[in-house]
Amino acid sequence: MIVMKFGGTSVESAAAIERVSAIVRARLGQRPVVVVSAMGRTTNRLLEMARLAASGRRDEALAECEALRHFHRAQGLPPADPREREDLGQYLDAHFRELAELLRGLAVLGELTPRSMDAVASYGERLSAAVLAAALRGAGIPAEAVDSRRLIVTDRRFTQAAPLYELTYPRLAREIPPLAGRVVPVLGGFIAATEDGVTTTLGRGGSDFTAAIVGAGIGAREIQIWTDVDGMLTADPNLVEGARRVKIISFDEAAELAYFGAKVLHPATVLPARERNIPVRILNSRRPEIPGTLIVEQAPPCRNPVKSIACKRGITVVDVHSTRMLMAHGFLHRIFEIFDDCQTPVDLLATSEVSVSLTIDNTARLGEICARLRQFAEVGVEQDQAIVCLVGDNIRYTPGVAARTFGALGGINVRMISQGASLRNLSFVVAGEDAARAVRALHQEFFRDPDPEVFE
Ligand code: ADP
Ligand code: ASP
Ligand code: MG
């Protein structure tokens, strides 16, 4: 068995869905299990209509719901088969009626909880799984939509739920392999449920994670992430024009890149895959003939120290100065206790004698964090910063990477530096507006002579 995950752009239109059918058909011999994201920008649109409804703009929310129904009918109904069209059309209409009901409820309540956000967002993947299964059947491939919420069990942290593996794996192992022997199972990514059946989601971009959980649960031979680029590239192609494909990369490197902003892979994807030693491959659904990026436990030797450069924007730097002269014993403990209590992960950290700087991505509880820090320290906050992160297993063995990095940056002001924690990563913070320029300069510096064994 292999797991094939198709992202939103891979199913954004009737033409894209047709390409997916051809890709799946060509791999039927490997017993594919398909995981699919919501079509195109559906998740954003669903969350937006939930916000509209809860803020009292009910009619706008319902109009957007109707527009999304039209989009699904226009792009999602299989062209050839009249029976499939009829059945799926009814399925879509029934679900959009239900969604409209939910939006009316939110408008009455005037409140949007994480739990109801998940309930609304879940429609995207519930519908796309039905759409893709029907499209496959319409193309003559036996397929069956499976509700992932019956199989993937999570905790109750709505919008960011974590899987409970001891409950999830046995369900997957029991249900999926027999089904995959008869048909192509099509599961919606991203969505899951608590043990008592309340809908949750795994966090934005979480369909990659679903693919890895499913792959690990059924002992797949490979987990394929089909997307809209040729693989993991040496930088975000939106920032660097000549970014190259990385042919092969280690789990550790891929995980760091994903964590520090390479959106092509959800950061949690690597965990279940590496635990069961299942290779992950990133592929382009528009150009399926390209071999993509293979992610494995041990990457082959590479002449270059850096494999790829990631960038995470919208970062906030918090500076904490001890109001006593020296950092008293227990100072760091008190600081981290606050971030921990507020469930706010810290990404980078730098310390001096009397101060600590750290970066956070999630500012939902920043006000509370600052208020508590101010009880024993002076606090400064700077928003709109960016982390730039060079990743490569070789960084640790190559002298001079830091000198080349900061040399290449020219006049760009560096706000904070961190190296050494993982040895394969050199990260620093710049102002958000300088991030693109920094990434381009570094790309030029480190990929002048790329090793042809590793880069395309
Ligand atoms: P999907 O909808 O298939 O999950 P995503 O939009 O989540 O796709 O991820 C693919 C996008 O990630 C690419 O279109 C690209 O813009 C972005 N990206 C950022 N960094 C990288 C990188 N290093 N390599 C490849 N793509 C990257
Ligand atoms: N549809 C979800 C999102 O947009 C999950 C995913 O695409 O991976 O975040
Ligand atoms: Mg994605």
Side-chain angles (χ1 to χ4, degrees):
M1 282 178 292
I2 59 170
V3 174
M4 305 177 75
K5 177 262 174 177
F6 295 94
T9 46
S10 299
V11 290
E12 69 186 353
S13 64
I17 293 171
E18 222 179 285
R19 283 195 293 271
V20 168
S21 296
I23 291 169
V24 172
R25 187 199 303 285
R27 287 156 187 82
L28 283 177
Q30 301 178 62
R31 286 210 288 153
V33 174
V34 169
V35 173
V36 65
S37 290
M39 291 171 65
R41 294 184 50 257
T42 295
T43 308
N44 286 352
R45 293 177 68 177
L46 287 165
L47 292 173
E48 180 56 24
M49 61 183 91
R51 267 180 226 114
L52 285 170
S55 65
R57 293 157 71 181
R58 192 192 77 149
D59 293 344
E60 284 167 72
L62 292 174
E64 177 56 11
C65 177
E66 187 57 12
L68 194 64
R69 184 177 74 88
H70 281 293
F71 165 71
H72 277 77
R73 288 193 68 107
Q75 301 302 326
L77 293 187
D81 188 325
R83 261 276 309 278
E84 289 292 351
R85 282 181 73 88
E86 174 68 24
D87 288 355
L88 181 63
Q90 282 180 10
Y91 178 94
L92 292 179
D93 289 349
H95 279 75
F96 277 102
R97 273 197 300 275
E98 207 182 281
L99 175 61
E101 216 40 60
L102 194 53
L103 292 171
R104 284 192 193 94
L106 291 176
V108 172
L109 289 172
E111 184 192 32
L112 188 58
T113 61
R115 177 172 168 161
S116 31
M117 280 166 77
D118 278 353
V120 172
S122 73
Y123 280 85
E125 271 74 4
R126 288 155 68 188
L127 299 175
S128 65
V131 163
L132 184 55
L136 291 173
R137 288 193 298 267
I141 303 166
E144 197 174 307
V146 178
D147 191 340
S148 307
R149 296 175 300 170
R150 286 194 301 107
L151 301 176
I152 316 264
V153 189
T154 68
D155 62 17
R156 301 181 65 84
R157 287 194 300 153
F158 297 102
T159 76
Q160 273 309 328
L164 302 175
Y165 291 104
E166 66 288 1
L167 295 173
T168 301
Y169 284 159
R171 290 192 192 192
L172 287 165
R174 193 179 58 229
E175 302 253 342
I176 298 297
L179 191 61
R182 294 186 284 113
V183 296
V184 176
V186 182
L187 289 81
F190 178 57
I191 59 175
T194 61
E195 213 179 334
D196 47 355
V198 183
T199 300
T200 57
T201 66
L202 303 175
R204 294 305 307 271
S207 293
D208 301 337
F209 191 20
T210 304
I213 298 167
V214 172
I218 65 174
R221 224 166 32 75
E222 184 168 285
I223 297 161
Q224 302 180 344
I225 307 290
W226 291 83
T227 182
D228 61 350
V229 283
D230 286 348
M232 199 161 241
L233 308 180
T234 48
D236 182 343
N238 298 308
L239 296 182
V240 176
E241 218 171 286
R244 289 160 176 271
R245 174 167 64 93
V246 184
K247 293 189 219 172
I248 184 159
I249 194 166
S250 70
F251 280 131
D252 285 329
E253 291 170 319
E256 298 266 357
L257 286 165
Y259 188 76
F260 286 106
K263 186 187 165 218
V264 65
L265 198 67
H266 184 279
T269 313
V270 167
L271 270 96
R274 85 158 337 152
E275 203 180 85
R276 306 246 161 149
N277 202 14
I278 304 170
V280 177
R281 200 185 282 276
I282 303 178
L283 293 149
N284 189 343
S285 65
R286 288 170 194 276
R287 310 208 297 166
E289 66 286 358
I290 298 199
T293 297
L294 183 63
I295 310 174
V296 289
E297 181 61 41
Q298 190 87 42
C302 175
R303 254 192 357 232
N304 305 74
V306 176
K307 286 270 175 63
S308 180
I309 305 166
C311 169
K312 193 164 164 182
R313 292 161 187 271
I315 293 295
T316 298
V317 175
V318 182
D319 295 308
V320 188
H321 303 275
S322 170
T323 40
R324 325 252 152 73
M325 265 309 282
L326 292 171
M327 264 217 252
H329 158 80
F331 184 62
L332 283 177
H333 175 78
R334 288 179 78 181
I335 293 176
F336 282 113
E337 197 171 35
I338 293 171
F339 284 87
D340 192 39
D341 281 352
C342 295
Q343 295 176 340
T344 301
V346 170
D347 288 335
L348 295 194
L349 175 71
T351 67
S352 79
E353 187 194 10
V354 289
S355 44
V356 177
S357 296
L358 30 82
T359 69
I360 58 172
D361 185 11
N362 177 353
T363 52
R365 296 178 70 178
L366 183 60
E368 183 185 345
I369 291 170
C370 289
R372 286 180 59 184
L373 289 171
R374 286 199 174 103
Q375 291 171 1
F376 60 92
E378 283 166 18
V379 181
V381 171
E382 242 180 306
Q383 277 162 334
D384 297 324
Q385 305 290 301
I387 297 176
V388 176
C389 174
L390 301 169
V391 174
D393 282 338
N394 275 349
I395 289 181
R396 68 172 108 180
Y397 306 116
T398 316
V401 174
R404 282 173 73 186
T405 300
F406 297 114
L409 288 179
I412 298 172
N413 186 41
V414 174
R415 175 75 174 64
M416 223 174 116
I417 301 173
S418 156
Q419 186 191 8
S422 86
L423 299 172
R424 66 178 60 85
N425 150 342
L426 190 160
S427 314
F428 58 90
V429 176
V430 295
E433 67 218 33
D434 291 334
R437 203 150 52 92
V439 173
R440 280 187 211 116
L442 291 170
H443 195 269
Q444 209 164 38
E445 171 66 28
F446 285 101
F447 295 104
R448 230 176 261 147
D449 178 26
D451 186 338
E453 293 291 316
V454 178
F455 304 98
E456 180 66 38

